[in-house]
Amino acid sequence: MRNIINLNAGWKFSKENEKLPESMPNGWQDVDLPHTWNAVDGHDGNGSYDRGCYWYAKTFETPAQPLKGGRIFLEILAAGQQATVYVNGKGEYYHEGGYSIFRADITEACKEEGENLLTIACSNENKSSVYPQSADFTFYGGLYRGVNLISVPEAHFDLEHWGSSGFMVTAVPCDCGGAKFKLESWPVHADENFTVLYSIQDACGKEVANAVRPADSTAVEVYVPDVTLWDCDNPYLYTVTATLQRRNEAYDEVSVRAGVRSFSCDPDKGFILNGIPTPLRGVSRHQDMLYKGNALTKEDHYNDAKIIKELGANTIRLAHYQHSQDFYDACDELGFVVWAEIPFISVMNEDPAAHQNCITQLKELVLQNYNHPSICFWGISNEILIGGISEQLVENHKELNALCKKLDPTRLTTIAHVSMTPIDSPVHGITDVESYNHYFGWYGGKMEDNGPWFDNFHKEHPEISIGVSEYGCEGIITYHGPNPACKDYSEEYQALYHEHMAKVLDERPWLWSSHVWNMFDFGCAARNEGGVAGRNNKGLVTMDRKTKKDSYYVYKAYWNKEPMVHLCGRRYAQRAGETTEIRVYSNQPAVSLFVNGELESVKTADKVFVFHVALRDGFNNILAVAGKCKDSMTIEKVEKEPDIYVLPEVNERAEGVANWFKLVGDLDLKAPMEFPEGKYSVRCTMEEISKSEKAMAVTAKAIKLATNFDLAPGVGMWDMMKSMKPEDMTKMAGSMMPDGFVESLNAQLIQIDKE
Ligand code: ADA
């Protein structure tokens, strides 16, 4: 039978090693897996992180195999981003792509018995043929999910088919209340004496059906009467086992879990689960945590899933790459509808090898995760038009979509469009359903633009099921104030923005899905925003998972079914002024607010309850009561609010915009946009502009004011932004920028000769 040996403990790691060691090295660092070398520098705000090719080494005993001809595989659950596996000094396997499982048959390289030396060279260096090429997150390096040794008899279920389990289960509900389980497995080296035994067990472990097939024709359809369906409230799971049997002996066995559910999307009705319209409302998640990087344990993954469940979300977009089996398992068990995707993100690389890498990552994603009932959508790209459109890009999308449908006709394909993707772009209509990333109310535009934008898209494209794949804004829990505003990074503005968005989504059930960007703050070494460098702070929860921001409770009030009440502003603990605003989130019809033991007032509202209360000097006790739920906090009335409540940059930016207009002086801000030959303009890419020092200086200054990003070749988010044009970037900032801003920038650029 199959023997799976966990190899996570007792590794040696080196950054200094230069060549393949011949014996177990001395002097290397002791590490256990999961491990990344970017656990700290991946998000500590130093502006960069270590991207290199480093070494892991470990010894292991050749597993005893009772039968002749057995095989030994090494299973790497993920290696960021490229890895070469050596056993006893021989290169056995090379894999590209940092998020999928791969296995190497190391049988020939292992000694007959005794100790073997396993060495893995792992690299997160940039490689033009491997996605992601550039994106707003840290590409952590290392063996961050763990390693197993799998020993199997010569006849076994295939372990070399794109890292899959060699067993596929498709459960389809029937109208009569039963279900068809389509089963197929891929035994290798199994002659005519072998059969495959299938067994389906219900959630209590009781067998409800079985079947037998010859090993060379394993596909079968099994009927199970009276099934319990899988849904978000009752994620009922069956266990399905395939056993490779030779006479009276089981040679190999694989068990997977299956859920019986049907789903579809309709442009007007949204997402439909088991025949019931079920708008998907949830969050996106990255796989990292503070000072752990992406080296997460099973417990960390389950903990994240539980925090999202407590929020009341019913969907998770697992951005922007394949996640751990532990997390997909958690989604199966807790009842989330999952959007799973490949890291074809931001910019397409013309290199044909890069397209092949996309294809490989898609095959791995689909085949390794086919059996998870939580997954309903395969995402084929994210914000890919940042790098501009080409015929090749459209073709590549069509090819990826067709491949996905061929590998898995049971699920729907999807795409996350960048905000400025025109609504008549040729990238529409390729995938089954679509989605837009919009940051109106953050990078640009007003939050009030979101609803009408989607209404218009829906009107113009009544044939497309549309969703909101990303929306969000930064919230840093030490910034506060009585007048929250866009780009102040305050916890209050973030909460106000999400109050608005939660309502917009609630009023539009035809939006098949929505995913907050992001559930948790996450590492992005290149970022420097809001006084917290190295991170993206759009999470509803902090990166250490310790603080749920007020915005978290907006959604808890909207989505979770348990009665709740939450007082906002507990971290806005010292307030100046005679009166203050108290916002309360609750899913109950009425909230009573008590201030210092006295009933202030009782209000009825839908989810958001707003009170204005007088404060006495010193400490004030605030208590909100909604039905049986209570929440309390203490705030102090002070002369002056603490300086740390305001990000210094907020004032600097306001001054900066004013200075910009002084600087451009008498330029006609309403001048028609002109684009003379041989001159720079707002329609050149940043890469072109960067060729001239003068053009770069003026543009970088404008972009900093417009979007708050620092732009300089090779620095920060450059890789992602170099193919963007200033016109598009300032457009993204939209109504946040005063009239004439882009015109005045253009007027300056067209004075400069192209180099
Ligand atoms: C994009 C991108 C995300 C995310 C976001 C942001 O929309 O798809 O990866 O980081 O930007 O926060 O700016």
Side-chain angles (χ1 to χ4, degrees):
M1 279 291 273
R2 172 179 298 221
N3 185 12
I4 303 176
I5 302 155
N6 181 291
L7 292 189
N8 284 357
W11 287 76
K12 299 280 182 192
F13 173 71
S14 170
K15 286 192 183 180
E16 269 83 53
N17 180 56
E18 278 168 8
K19 62 179 199 342
L20 189 63
E22 280 168 16
S23 55
M24 190 60 177
N26 285 322
W28 289 18
Q29 187 191 337
D30 289 318
V31 298
D32 291 328
L33 308 186
H35 173 262
T36 170
W37 58 82
N38 303 118
V40 176
D41 73 355
H43 47 258
D44 68 356
N46 271 328
S48 68
Y49 61 111
D50 192 348
R51 296 186 70 176
C53 180
Y54 301 130
W55 292 83
Y56 291 88
K58 175 175 173 67
T59 54
F60 68 91
E61 296 273 324
T62 302
Q65 291 186 308
L67 299 171
K68 272 212 174 115
R71 308 301 298 176
I72 304 164
F73 290 88
L74 198 70
E75 179 179 65
I76 317 277
L77 297 175
Q81 304 278 337
Q82 291 89 238
T84 311
V85 175
Y86 302 87
V87 176
N88 297 325
K90 275 191 266 161
E92 292 298 317
Y93 202 87
Y94 172 66
H95 182 265
E96 290 184 336
Y99 306 96
S100 48
I101 300 168
F102 61 97
R103 303 193 187 101
D105 182 341
I106 56 169
T107 317
E108 311 307 336
C110 287
K111 294 178 184 160
E112 280 211 357
E113 55 184 43
E115 211 170 68
N116 301 282
L117 176 63
L118 164 63
T119 325
I120 300 176
C122 190
S123 158
N124 63 342
E125 292 158 305
N126 183 48
K127 189 156 191 201
S128 68
S129 56
V130 181
Y131 284 103
Q133 290 284 299
S134 59
D136 180 26
F137 58 93
T138 298
F139 308 159
Y140 297 96
L143 298 176
Y144 68 93
R145 281 192 198 142
V147 172
N148 294 316
L149 200 62
I150 307 178
S151 125
V152 280
E154 188 177 17
H156 57 267
F157 290 111
D158 197 0
L159 286 160
E160 291 179 286
H161 189 60
W162 303 101
S164 68
S165 65
F167 181 27
M168 268 169 138
V169 177
T170 313
V172 186
C174 310
D175 290 342
C176 59
K180 279 188 271 179
F181 282 70
K182 296 179 189 169
L183 312 175
E184 189 165 7
S185 58
W186 286 267
V188 292
H189 305 298
D191 63 21
E192 64 281 3
N193 294 305
F194 283 86
T195 48
V196 176
L197 311 182
Y198 294 116
S199 169
I200 303 175
Q201 298 183 343
D202 67 13
C204 304
K206 183 170 154 269
E207 185 173 83
V208 289
N210 57 45
V212 185
R213 295 295 303 156
D216 62 354
S217 169
T218 64
V220 67
E221 207 174 275
V222 179
Y223 177 73
V224 178
D226 304 323
V227 291
T228 303
L229 297 181
W230 181 97
D231 66 29
C232 298
D233 294 329
N234 182 28
Y236 192 92
L237 294 173
Y238 290 86
T239 300
V240 192
T241 305
T243 307
L244 185 61
Q245 188 79 19
R246 185 178 186 277
R247 308 216 169 98
N248 278 2
E249 186 177 339
Y251 271 54
D252 194 14
E253 197 165 277
V254 182
S255 277
V256 304
R257 287 178 317 169
V260 183
R261 81 281 187 268
S262 68
F263 63 88
S264 59
C265 279
D266 178 284
D268 293 319
K269 295 192 194 121
F271 182 73
I272 298 163
L273 183 61
N274 300 329
I276 302 165
T278 309
L280 293 176
R281 298 291 175 259
V283 297
S284 283
R285 177 214 185 222
H286 264 301
Q287 57 171 18
D288 65 349
M289 282 177 73
L290 191 67
Y291 305 137
K292 284 191 174 191
N294 60 356
L296 304 187
T297 62
K298 182 172 179 176
E299 200 189 349
D300 293 328
H301 288 296
Y302 271 77
N303 193 35
D304 274 6
K306 283 180 199 151
I307 300 173
I308 300 173
K309 193 71 191 174
E310 190 191 314
L311 181 68
N314 61 3
T315 181
I316 308 180
R317 177 178 174 207
L318 287 172
H320 282 303
Y321 39 74
Q322 183 173 332
H323 282 232
S324 159
Q325 288 304 306
D326 290 332
F327 203 84
Y328 295 117
D329 283 345
C331 292
D332 295 341
E333 286 169 29
L334 295 177
F336 293 110
V337 170
V338 167
W339 161 331
E341 68 190 36
I342 51 169
F344 188 26
I345 175 168
S346 312
V347 181
M348 185 187 86
N349 191 318
E350 301 287 339
D351 184 351
H355 183 52
Q356 283 314 311
N357 178 257
C358 248
I359 290 175
T360 300
Q361 294 207 43
L362 187 64
K363 283 185 179 167
E364 291 174 330
L365 178 79
V366 174
L367 296 171
Q368 293 175 16
N369 298 294
Y370 182 88
N371 293 321
H372 290 289
S374 55
I375 299 175
C376 294
F377 300 91
W378 301 118
I380 63 169
S381 75
N382 177 73
E383 297 205 336
I384 203 70
L385 287 199
I386 285 184
I389 190 154
S390 64
E391 267 173 36
Q392 193 56 50
L393 181 139
V394 176
E395 272 321 297
N396 286 359
H397 274 73
K398 288 184 178 158
E399 199 188 316
L400 289 173
N401 189 67
L403 172 66
C404 208
K405 299 302 285 183
K406 187 167 155 232
L407 293 170
D408 181 4
T410 72
R411 291 184 172 91
L412 298 174
T413 54
T414 185
I415 187 167
H417 296 298
V418 66
S419 193
M420 63 238 189
T421 305
I423 69 169
D424 57 357
S425 167
V427 288
H428 293 300
I430 297 176
T431 51
D432 294 322
V433 299
E434 301 183 33
S435 224
Y436 260 83
N437 298 351
H438 277 316
Y439 287 91
F440 303 128
W442 184 246
Y443 292 125
K446 305 183 290 300
M447 58 175 105
E448 292 78 14
D449 298 339
N450 286 285
W453 191 95
F454 280 100
D455 294 342
N456 182 54
F457 187 94
H458 190 40
K459 195 172 112 235
E460 296 294 322
H461 278 297
E463 77 292 2
I464 295 180
S465 286
I466 191 75
V468 194
S469 32
E470 285 182 29
Y471 66 99
C473 69
E474 299 237 331
I476 294 173
I477 62 170
T478 47
Y479 302 145
H480 304 286
N483 303 306
C486 183
K487 285 278 169 170
D488 69 3
Y489 297 86
S490 69
E491 189 175 5
E492 285 75 26
Y493 179 75
Q494 190 195 30
L496 272 184
Y497 167 89
H498 283 294
E499 281 177 23
H500 180 80
M501 291 306 293
K503 190 161 187 294
V504 165
L505 298 167
D506 205 48
E507 289 166 352
R508 292 168 178 78
W510 45 268
L511 289 166
W512 71 269
S513 74
S514 66
H515 295 97
V516 175
W517 192 260
N518 193 290
M519 181 63 197
F520 305 104
D521 293 346
F522 60 89
C524 175
R527 256 184 194 264
N528 185 3
E529 266 204 83
V532 183
R535 315 210 185 128
N536 185 313
N537 303 294
K538 295 192 187 73
L540 303 179
V541 176
T542 53
M543 199 174 170
D544 56 11
R545 311 316 196 235
K546 287 198 184 301
T547 305
K548 293 176 175 120
K549 304 177 192 177
D550 283 338
S551 50
Y552 173 95
Y553 293 95
V554 173
Y555 293 106
K556 191 164 181 180
Y558 269 88
W559 298 340
N560 122 86
K561 291 177 187 130
E562 299 294 315
M564 59 77 71
V565 66
H566 171 78
L567 270 168
C568 297
R570 68 192 57 233
R571 283 167 287 273
Y572 183 14
Q574 293 176 295
R575 305 187 189 189
E578 291 309 308
T579 61
T580 192
E581 181 185 273
I582 304 285
R583 298 178 90 81
V584 180
Y585 301 147
S586 176
N587 51 8
Q588 300 301 295
V591 169
S592 311
L593 194 80
F594 296 83
V595 179
N596 299 320
E598 304 278 324
L599 178 65
E600 202 276 337
S601 62
V602 182
K603 288 204 189 286
T604 54
D606 184 24
K607 317 288 189 303
V608 180
F609 302 75
V610 184
F611 299 85
H612 290 97
V613 304
L615 295 179
R616 71 180 181 204
D617 287 344
F619 292 113
N620 292 261
N621 267 307
I622 315 287
L623 170 70
V625 181
K628 290 194 177 132
C629 305
K630 291 183 182 170
D631 193 21
S632 66
M633 66 179 186
T634 301
I635 51 181
E636 187 187 4
K637 182 178 165 194
V638 290
E639 280 295 304
K640 183 179 168 294
E641 296 185 356
D643 291 341
I644 61 154
Y645 280 5
V646 181
L647 170 70
E649 210 179 81
V650 169
N651 299 331
E652 281 164 23
R653 255 171 63 77
E655 269 170 41
V657 174
N659 286 341
W660 170 266
F661 283 96
K662 255 187 247 153
L663 183 96
V664 296
D666 49 1
L667 284 174
D668 181 0
L669 300 179
K670 297 272 177 230
M673 298 266 276
E674 285 168 359
F675 308 97
E677 286 257 320
K679 306 283 186 182
Y680 288 104
S681 79
V682 289
R683 294 196 178 158
C684 296
T685 64
M686 286 309 306
E687 199 160 26
E688 287 171 291
I689 289 173
S690 70
K691 295 195 181 116
S692 152
E693 218 175 284
K694 205 168 154 201
M696 185 64 205
V698 71
T699 312
K701 186 166 184 150
I703 295 303
K704 172 75 181 165
L705 294 175
T707 64
N708 208 25
F709 280 118
D710 294 303
L711 265 193
V715 174
M717 313 277 280
W718 178 252
D719 273 351
M720 217 176 104
M721 298 174 88
K722 66 184 179 194
S723 44
M724 290 180 84
K725 298 171 183 161
E727 185 177 32
D728 293 333
M729 290 195 227
T730 40
K731 235 186 241 163
M732 273 168 73
S735 56
M736 271 163 50
M737 295 319 296
D739 284 350
F741 190 82
V742 74
E743 288 84 348
S744 60
L745 172 61
N746 196 57
Q748 291 182 82
L749 286 174
I750 61 175
Q751 314 286 327
I752 308 171
D753 289 328
K754 274 196 181 165
E755 302 214 347

